[in-house]
């Protein structure tokens, strides 16, 4: 929850804007400012104070305890010009909150965290538990001193300015290790703990077994990715409580699935009880990996819990990112985060140029020219298979005439694939035209480079006969000048000459242009590959110069009945 505190009418106005935009995330604290800050500090994960930074510093100074537990605090000035990340930039999420609040309020986010200022990822922002000399190693990274990276798990990381050797070190491991005063360790989620338990097994017994087994094997509980068990134990209180205390998900599998897993220590007892000869080992091994701790029983008499530990190999990560139609403010926050998370970026050269400034220093960029889509997809998948964190970029939405299809055709289940949606050209053009996509609509590419024209024509004809609004991508190029006139002629067989048609070129870019014409008046020669053409259906109207397709046909019927 985000606590909102203000002291003046101007601050209250901005406060109320945030409260209205984030009704489920925020709570307004009224009353004397000092009391409000103290209550919010105790009750909320984050605070936004519409006060002077000096005033907030004095109010929260006696409340500060530890950077790992203090809430993130952001200050917004009375004029709404700046959103300042004051406390808890990383751990408390204040840096990102300052950016979010600034974007909503039209304020400039002010982030002074050293790593953010120079584009070096903070060691506590990598999504992995971190231990050791975080401040010292971070300072070494910032000062350009050699920092060695020992990635024992081959975990995909964002670009870090590291060297082969150095006085400082970063270790990525699930093992318990002794660290020097110049080292940090990052804990990747590589361990799966399979758990079995008798009915009403105490949570303490389950937890002691898990933690003791890991400790004796020299493994860190902070690298547990999940607890796993059989479906019949999905609600077993002791197992559920143990997962909760460890802060990891509880994953369950059917007895049939577990029975199919080959294990070293099968038993008749679980077979009789839940229908599989192994619970702990089979649940840990079902996803593959190395069995580090074979089945162990708890020390109680009688033993009521069993566990086994498996290390799953690290998997490369491929994020397929849609950049939107071109405008920077239509690039989603999720897409921006994935660009900064990637150690390798793959994309068309002109798209790389759009976002090059957002990449972290050290990001390896693999760019190619137009027409090499399959090659880019193969390259991205190959890099992910090497254990890299890869971002494959495309315009609009990555799944719409872009890179998601060729990438997923190349990828198998040996890497993690994350889709990052983007604003499509059709949506950007529609917003410029008015509301042409208010009812059923379809997008059709008129490029026959990959699709036979016979197939394209059949789809255009089907859309025409079904009275669906059509958006044409790739409508016309110097080498393809007859496809658009043909498609328009097919639509004209089913629609009036006065049917509204929207033509938008370079939607959302600096040289954007949009105009509204009709099916009869559209000159295909004015259209090129940077243009999106949207043809209305029989209900679409030109209303005050805007293209509008109603959500239903009732208005059309009543309108005609009144004539």
């Amino acid at each position: 929850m985000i606590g909102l505190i203000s002291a003046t009418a101007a601050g209250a106005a901005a406060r109320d804007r945030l409260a209205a935009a984030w009704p489920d995330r925020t709570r307004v604290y009224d009353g004397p400012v000092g009391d409000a800050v103290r209550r919010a500090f105790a009750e909320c994960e984050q605070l936004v104070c519409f006060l002077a930074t000096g005033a907030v510093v004095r109010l929260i100074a006696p409340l500060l305890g530890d950077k790992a537990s203090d809430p993130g605090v952001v200050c917004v000035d009375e004029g709404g010009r700046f959103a300042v990340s004051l406390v808890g930039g990383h751990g408390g999420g204040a840096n990102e909150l300052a950016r979010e609040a600034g974007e909503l309020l039209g304020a400039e986010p002010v982030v002074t965290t050293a790593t953010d200022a120079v584009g070096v990822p903070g060691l506590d922002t990598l999504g992995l538990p971190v231990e050791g000399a975080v401040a010292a190693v971070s300072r070494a990274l910032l000062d350009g001193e050699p920092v060695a990276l020992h990635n024992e798990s081959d975990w995909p990381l964002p670009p870090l300015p590291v060297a082969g050797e150095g006085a400082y070190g970063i270790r990525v491991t699930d093992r318990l290790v002794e660290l020097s005063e110049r080292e940090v360790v990052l804990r990747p989620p590589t361990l799966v703990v399979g758990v079995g338990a008798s009915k009403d097994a105490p949570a303490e017994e389950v937890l002691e077994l898990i933690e003791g087994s890991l400790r004796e094997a020299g493994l860190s509980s902070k690298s547990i990715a999940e607890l796993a068990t059989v479906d019949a134990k999905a609600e077993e209180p002791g197992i559920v409580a143990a997962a909760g205390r460890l802060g990891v998900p509880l994953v369950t599998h059917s007895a049939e699935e577990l029975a199919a897993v080959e294990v070293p220590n099968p038993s008749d007892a679980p077979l009789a009880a839940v229908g599989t000869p192994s619970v702990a080992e089979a649940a840990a091994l079902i996803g593959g990996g190395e069995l580090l701790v074979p089945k162990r029983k708890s020390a109680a008499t009688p033993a009521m819990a069993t566990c086994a530990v498996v290390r799953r190999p690290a998997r490369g990560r491929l994020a397929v990112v849609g950049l939107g139609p071109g405008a920077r403010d239509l690039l989603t926050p999720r897409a921006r985060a994935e660009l900064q998370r990637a150690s390798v970026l793959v994309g068309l050269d002109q798209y790389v140029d759009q976002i090059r400034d957002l990449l972290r220093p050290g990001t390896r960029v693999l760019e190619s020219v137009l027409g090499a889509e399959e090659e880019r997809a193969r390259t991205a998948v190959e890099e992910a298979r090497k254990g890299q964190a890869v971002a494959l970029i495309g315009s609009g939405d990555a799944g719409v005439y872009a890179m998601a299809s060729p990438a997923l055709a190349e990828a198998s289940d040996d890497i993690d694939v994350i889709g990052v949606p983007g604003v499509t050209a059709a949506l950007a053009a529609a917003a410029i035209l008015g509301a042409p996509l208010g009812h059923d609509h379809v997008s059709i590419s008129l490029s026959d480079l990959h699709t036979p024209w016979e197939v394209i024509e059949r789809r255009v004809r089907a859309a025409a006969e079904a009275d669906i609004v059509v958006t044409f991508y790739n409508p016309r190029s110097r080498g393809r000048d007859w496809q658009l006139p043909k498609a328009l002629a097919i639509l004209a067989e089913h629609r009036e000459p006065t049917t509204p048609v929207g033509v938008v070129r370079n939607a959302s870019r600096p040289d954007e242009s949009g105009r509204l014409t009709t099916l009869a008046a559209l000159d295909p020669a004015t259209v090129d590959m940077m243009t999106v053409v949207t043809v209305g259906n029989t209900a679409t109207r030109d209303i005050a110069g805007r293209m509008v397709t109603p959500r239903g046909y009732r208005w059309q019927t009543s309108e005609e009945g009144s004539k």
Side-chain angles (χ1 to χ4, degrees), residues 43 49 125 128 149 189 209 281 316 321 326 342 364 384 409 446 462 483 501 553:
E43 297 171 358
C49 301
T125 67
L128 303 178
L149 174 65
L209 172 63
E281 287 181 339
V321 181
R364 186 156 55 96
L446 294 183
Q483 287 89 343
V501 175
Y553 283 80

Side-chain angles (χ1 to χ4, degrees), residues 321-408:
V321 181
L323 300 180
R328 178 58 60 84
D329 60 352
L330 292 182
L331 177 70
T332 67
R334 187 180 302 180
R336 186 187 294 259
E338 287 294 345
L339 294 175
Q340 298 204 327
R341 193 190 192 289
S343 58
V344 179
L345 182 89
V346 182
L348 180 66
D349 51 6
Q350 63 190 59
Y351 298 149
V352 171
D353 289 341
Q354 289 181 22
I355 48 82
R356 197 183 297 271
D357 63 301
L358 297 178
L359 304 178
R360 292 194 186 277
T363 303
R364 186 156 55 96
V365 178
L366 304 176
E367 53 189 310
S368 55
V369 297
L370 190 66
E373 289 83 2
E374 287 78 8
E375 179 186 342
R376 285 196 294 276
R378 282 193 295 271
T379 298
V381 171
E382 288 169 2
E383 290 293 329
R385 285 184 175 139
K386 296 176 185 176
Q388 301 291 331
V390 182
L392 174 62
I393 60 173
S395 65
D397 180 274
V400 180
Y401 303 123
M403 294 305 302
S405 293
L408 269 62

Side-chain angles (χ1 to χ4, degrees), residues 93-150:
N95 291 352
E96 184 57 33
L97 180 59
R99 296 185 182 100
E100 285 189 83
E103 184 173 358
L104 192 76
L105 299 172
E108 180 72 22
V110 179
V111 175
T112 58
T113 310
T115 51
D116 291 82
V118 299
V120 174
L123 296 175
D124 53 354
T125 67
L126 301 180
L128 303 178
V130 58
E131 305 167 14
V134 176
V137 175
S138 296
R139 187 162 51 248
L141 289 171
L142 291 168
D143 290 344
E145 297 189 44
V147 177
L149 174 65
H150 305 286

Side-chain angles (χ1 to χ4, degrees), residues 37 87 117 131 134 154 194 199 385 407 413 416 547:
V37 168
V87 171
E131 305 167 14
V134 176
D154 293 325
K199 181 176 173 57
R385 285 184 175 139
D413 62 359
D416 293 327
M547 188 176 178

Side-chain angles (χ1 to χ4, degrees), residues 448-470:
D448 54 2
L449 295 177
H450 298 285
T451 306
W453 174 254
E454 293 77 14
V455 175
I456 298 173
E457 182 173 333
R458 187 165 67 247
R459 292 171 179 171
V460 174
R461 195 170 298 280
E465 293 173 353
D467 197 26
I468 296 176
V469 175
V470 181

